Amino acid sequence: MIVILAIDALEYDLVEKWDMKELKQLKYGKTNLSDYSEPRTMVLWSSILSGKNKEEEILKIGDKEMWNFKLKTEETFFSMFNKYLAIDVPGFTQDIKYHELEREQLKKFFNKEIDVDEFDKPLFEHHKQNKEQFLKALNGDYEIVMGYFGLIDVVGHISFGLETKMKILYKEMEEIAKIAEEKADILLILSDHGMEAIGRFGDHSDHGFWSLNINKELGFIKPVEIYKLIKEFKEK
Ligand SMILES: [Zn+2]
């Protein structure tokens, strides 16, 4: 089974700093986002899935409508497989309601209607659901499973400067990576972009993260090159 553990905003520098071995796996590095005007979540995941730079197409839709963007299966690398599962993946299978919840939570937090704990709570619940679904899928008979986890991004936006808190989230992802590694023939861990601190808050950084459990060097790989990589894995 090919497994893609998609972790939104997983920051290369923190994986390195905290020496997160399960996330680093055998080979790891940064992804090259220099073809994009800004590291936008929807644009980057859609480019990864389709093997095409989707920035122009998605920006045309506009900031507000962007989250309704959805690729058809035949536009993604999943079309190469008979049995696949893509859990909560932006630009493909993510329920727009989850994105709306994130936006709503951010708005309430910045309007001081809710505190940090109230902000985090529904996001952690959503994470738990995705985790359960992902761990269950690892025991299924899929050819490829992609599990998306957005917790580090959304919690990071308001807590990235709080190192202890962020480290707990990274450790949670370490745990998920460890289980995935036991089940997967090939495990690709991927982030769309990383994050950098702005006071206690966080903003997207200009590189993403990749790692592999096999001895293969991807270098400073671009998001659109992942499609070709999955094809290569499939043909192995
Ligand atoms: Zn993102």
Side-chain angles (χ1 to χ4, degrees):
M1 189 191 283
I2 301 168
V3 178
I4 304 171
L5 176 54
I7 308 174
D8 210 291
L10 186 77
E11 172 53 47
Y12 175 95
D13 295 344
L14 287 186
V15 171
E16 192 73 303
K17 181 178 171 186
W18 293 330
D19 191 25
M20 298 269 167
K21 291 197 170 63
E22 308 295 339
L23 292 173
K24 291 202 308 201
Q25 306 195 83
L26 193 58
K27 293 279 178 186
Y28 67 101
K30 286 182 185 178
T31 64
N32 177 357
L33 307 182
S34 63
D35 292 336
Y36 300 86
S37 65
E38 259 183 63
R40 291 179 177 88
T41 294
M42 180 54 100
V43 168
L44 293 169
W45 289 117
S46 299
S47 300
I48 287 166
L49 294 169
S50 67
K52 292 184 178 126
N53 186 326
K54 290 285 178 184
E55 184 169 74
E56 207 187 323
E57 187 182 339
I58 291 176
L59 289 190
K60 260 191 216 153
I61 305 171
D63 270 350
K64 217 177 158 195
E65 293 300 313
M66 185 191 291
W67 290 88
N68 290 313
F69 180 81
K70 271 203 168 51
L71 293 161
K72 297 189 188 82
T73 305
E74 55 266 35
E75 295 174 285
T76 72
F77 53 64
F78 290 107
S79 62
M80 292 183 267
F81 300 89
N82 294 316
K83 292 196 115 182
Y84 70 87
L85 184 66
I87 302 163
D88 206 27
V89 178
F92 189 42
T93 55
Q94 187 168 74
D95 190 337
I96 183 76
K97 282 197 195 94
Y98 176 64
H99 180 69
E100 282 161 1
L101 169 73
E102 281 186 9
R103 299 296 291 245
E104 195 58 28
Q105 287 294 98
L106 282 166
K107 207 171 114 193
K108 283 183 188 162
F109 177 78
F110 286 111
N111 287 339
K112 299 191 165 62
E113 289 164 36
I114 54 171
D115 63 19
V116 179
D117 290 340
E118 288 165 321
F119 176 83
D120 290 345
K121 197 168 177 264
L123 307 170
F124 277 94
E125 275 163 17
H126 182 77
H127 171 81
K128 210 177 131 203
Q129 286 165 9
N130 279 9
K131 182 178 173 182
E132 274 169 21
Q133 209 189 338
F134 181 63
L135 298 187
K136 197 176 152 211
L138 294 175
N139 291 313
D141 64 345
Y142 301 102
E143 293 168 80
I144 183 167
V145 170
M146 181 171 185
Y148 170 82
F149 294 89
L151 190 66
I152 284 180
D153 183 71
V154 64
V155 171
H157 275 297
I158 68 156
S159 295
F160 191 75
L162 309 178
E163 195 157 297
T164 312
K165 182 170 177 180
M166 291 312 294
K167 199 168 178 181
I168 292 168
L169 301 188
Y170 274 62
K171 281 201 168 144
E172 161 72 4
M173 294 318 301
E174 273 266 283
E175 231 182 86
I176 295 174
K178 188 167 188 232
I179 301 167
E181 212 163 327
E182 285 161 12
K183 305 279 180 184
D185 299 306
I186 296 176
L187 176 61
L188 171 65
I189 300 178
L190 204 56
S191 74
D192 48 349
H193 50 75
M195 201 164 262
E196 55 197 14
I198 308 203
R200 78 158 276 171
F201 302 122
D203 201 4
H204 296 177
S205 69
D206 66 355
H207 52 259
F209 173 89
W210 66 265
S211 78
L212 274 175
N213 64 337
I214 54 171
N215 194 10
K216 185 174 172 65
E217 185 56 64
L218 302 185
F220 202 31
I221 194 170
K222 291 181 174 184
V224 294
E225 293 171 321
I226 298 295
Y227 191 106
K228 212 170 56 200
L229 180 73
I230 302 298
K231 192 162 182 237
E232 206 185 300
F233 290 161
K234 151 117 187 142
E235 283 161 5
K236 240 181 202 174

